[in-house]
Amino acid sequence: SIQKAESGWYKAAVASVENIDYVNCRAMSEPFLLKVNTCEPPEPPMEELCTDGLLLFREDFGGNNPNDPRVGQTPVQGMTYEQATTDIWNPNNLSVKAGKYIVTKSGYCNGDTASTNDPNNRRSQWFFQDDHTYPDDYTRGYFMEVDGKGDNAIFYTTTINDLCEGIELSFMAYVANVQLPWYYENQTRVYPRLQFTLLNSNDNAVLSNYDTGDIPYDSRYMGLFDFNYSSVWHRVGMNFTVPPGVNSITLKIANNTTGNNGNDFAIDDIEIRLCAPPVTVEGGNELCTNEKATLTIQKAESGWYKAAVASVENIDYVNCRAMSEPFLIKVQECVQPVDELCSNERLLFREDFGGNDSDDPERGSTRPPGMDNQYRLGGNCYLTKKGIRNSSSPDYSLWHIQDDHTYPNDYTRGYFLEIDGLGNNVPFYSTMIEGLCEGSEMTFSAYVVNVTTANQIASYWQRGVEYAYPHIRMVLTNPQDESILAIQELDTIGYDWSLYQVSDAWKLSAQWQRMGMSFTVPPGVDAIRLTIDNFVTAYSGNDFAVDDIEIHICLPPVRITSPELVCEKDPYSFEIEFENDGSMPEPLEYQWFYSSDNETWTAVDGGAVRELSFDKVTSDKVGWYKVAVAGSGNIDRVNCRTESEPFRLDVEECHRCANIIVNKYNWVLLVDNVKVRELFPNRTVLKYQWYKNGEPIPGANEDDYSEYDELCGTFQMILTLDGDEEVCSNILEINTAVQEEQPVHVFIYDSRGVPVRKNQMTHGIYLYRYEQGDKVWTEKKLIP
């Protein structure tokens, strides 16, 4: 044990008595680095600061749009330090010095940067910090990073007005020590330390102070290259009750330290909140066309709402009342989320873009029927089994080498449509489905993926290049008058951040995601056009792929449950499993269809029934069958009925098997003719045929069968009765493996049945009798 710890390397020695001072006589541990850190200051528990209180003021420093530049150019209101606005990865950039700040989406590169073109050669004394508002997302959100002067100077000021005495407020912020831990070793380093001061804005009298204590470095990361990570954010702050006579408070934040070395920090999300119970509004915020809605506070019309609660006489003072979050009421044609699409679906249309044969070329050369002409095949759009490698370098690609959704992880089959977005809000695909019935529920869906790599987006961001997310919309219109029936959007198809900073991530496929909606066909509409567009006006990063566009009708499923195999000349009935869920008007109608090749279908005569039956099945009945079910009057409308999967009916020539053969002594089989006459009275047996192991035995055409050794195998008899009717016997399996552990006794008999010895045998036929325990078998032998 060490009474007082000091930073440095330690190791432990163990030796026998009196040998501890002899280097070669003691065991020694590996060197152990002990780092003594300033302990993290205690943070007020979440329930003490009013983190859920009404937000009166917030400074998140902006930059919340991915298109915003990496480093903010607009000075922060209330700052007294000087702003730096140049490239934070420029190795010659010395603009961030003590007493300066930047607003940025990632930490400043403060150190020895060998090359901006080679990320592996970058060095920094500061963390590559992320934004607190959008953690782990280097595309959105500025924070302020400060190279502290260490002169106890105030660097930030803001004022909140129109307050009411007696209300409780929370003043808080999130702070991070951006200095790397290794840079503190063997040097005198200053920890950042902030002080919050509240003043009466009217006379500048100090109302309260709060000191954060030392902001510690993040001890999770100790290596030289750990600048690539983000330091931990610490929530700091204080509660304060507005005293009598005060209606305006100024918050000043000072860097409460002396010294510049290591006194570097980031700050984000400076907030002032009213400590009041939250106000919530109950009621749905998405309403269907012509649907009435009532909130618990007021009657809803299209627009934004929020509710205020205050003590008596304070309701008109904005900073003295609790307020609900803004609540948007939208009146629109209702659609369902993709995970709520109906499960009982019948496919009406599918575009998988072909290429499903492994022999098809890697790139398709025929424009899909629904593809918009504004996109050039082989230029702006591609039919491909493998994502386009969008780069002039053989070792890099801006896009993922994407796989097909229909055949994932298989680059030999299946085309998908890959698009280099034009960024002009144009549609890129359209199709129409006709012959619909009003009131039918339908689903429209597709699979989409953002094919630009997250690594490339991070590169855009570091270079200040504008980029965009694909924004896919499905638009349903009535082709009769081109009126819009419904719109479903997949806002900002995100990049696959799970592959960010993965080596050669472009060689992997980004994750497909499904978008879609449900829609009920309105009265007077019997056809719908589906148009898919990319509703965005920028092009860098706006690159995506689409596959498996599908249109389904939501109807209860029907399934044929009859046996697939039937004996020739037997009666047969098709049975189905179907239950109307109320989506089809009664009485229901049925129609059976037949196909010899599972491609060309014809209606079965007399097939307008629930169960189709045959008195006698013949070979001409072999083939494929399916049944259609529809509501009253709709059976002939293909897109208004549900259909079963095709069902194959096969016919076989069946034998009636009877238990008519007997095994005697394991070497002779006999037909029980008495049993045959009982089973088939007044019938004549025309032929016997014995089978062994499934094959007919040549010449074995008697009512008995034996071999010269004990029988072993599977045996069966086929009887042919008058009228050429064949009857099969039961099957006997005989296994006569000899057990060597028991002795075998041999007895020999001549043709008269007289026992003889082996040395008495001359020429002639002899019968050998073998006995092995309870087993007895015989063998005939000819001595020439």
Side-chain angles (χ1 to χ4, degrees), residues 519-573:
F519 177 77
T520 301
V521 180
V525 173
D526 63 358
I528 291 177
R529 178 178 288 112
L530 166 66
T531 300
I532 308 179
D533 60 34
N534 183 21
F535 203 70
V536 68
T537 57
Y539 62 91
S540 293
N542 176 23
D543 309 311
F544 60 97
V546 180
D547 201 7
D548 294 336
I549 302 170
E550 294 181 345
I551 303 175
H552 291 82
I553 185 169
C554 300
L555 292 173
V558 57
R559 188 168 65 92
I560 299 175
T561 59
S562 301
E564 299 175 2
L565 201 60
V566 62
C567 292
E568 190 174 17
K569 301 179 181 178
D570 275 4
Y572 185 81
S573 291

Side-chain angles (χ1 to χ4, degrees), residues 63 65-68 105 137-141 457 461 467 469 497:
N65 191 316
N67 295 326
D68 291 331
K105 295 179 180 179
D137 184 352
Y138 289 103
T139 70
R140 297 194 297 170
I457 291 303
W461 175 74
Y467 60 92
Y469 294 88
W497 288 104

Side-chain angles (χ1 to χ4, degrees), residues 476-485 522-529:
L476 304 184
T477 56
N478 183 349
Q480 294 179 356
D481 56 12
E482 299 302 327
S483 60
I484 295 178
L485 301 174
V525 173
D526 63 358
I528 291 177
R529 178 178 288 112

Side-chain angles (χ1 to χ4, degrees), residues 284-306:
N285 69 327
E286 292 189 1
L287 306 177
C288 299
T289 304
N290 300 324
E291 180 179 353
K292 293 182 180 180
T294 303
L295 305 180
T296 55
I297 297 178
Q298 46 197 297
K299 183 178 179 180
E301 297 177 3
S302 296
W304 290 90
Y305 291 82
K306 56 184 179 180

Side-chain angles (χ1 to χ4, degrees), residues 275-341:
C275 297
V279 178
T280 59
V281 179
E282 297 179 357
N285 69 327
E286 292 189 1
L287 306 177
C288 299
T289 304
N290 300 324
E291 180 179 353
K292 293 182 180 180
T294 303
L295 305 180
T296 55
I297 297 178
Q298 46 197 297
K299 183 178 179 180
E301 297 177 3
S302 296
W304 290 90
Y305 291 82
K306 56 184 179 180
V309 180
S311 56
V312 176
E313 298 182 352
N314 285 337
I315 195 65
D316 294 328
Y317 294 92
V318 175
N319 292 332
C320 303
R321 64 194 184 193
M323 188 74 69
S324 71
E325 292 295 320
F327 187 82
L328 176 63
I329 298 296
K330 297 184 292 184
V331 177
Q332 60 184 13
E333 186 70 36
C334 291
V335 297
Q336 291 179 278
V338 68
D339 56 356
E340 296 182 7
L341 298 182

Side-chain angles (χ1 to χ4, degrees), residues 27 39 84 93 148 161 241 253 269 369 442 503 517 666 694 735 768 777:
C39 295
N93 176 19
N161 298 314
T241 301
I253 306 178
D269 295 334
M442 304 178 67
S503 178
M517 62 175 164
N666 276 357
N735 185 359
Y768 279 62
W777 69 98

Side-chain angles (χ1 to χ4, degrees), residues 1-11 32 34 36:
S1 64
I2 303 174
Q3 291 184 353
K4 184 177 180 181
E6 297 180 1
S7 296
W9 291 91
Y10 292 81
K11 57 184 178 180
F32 175 80
L34 180 65
V36 179

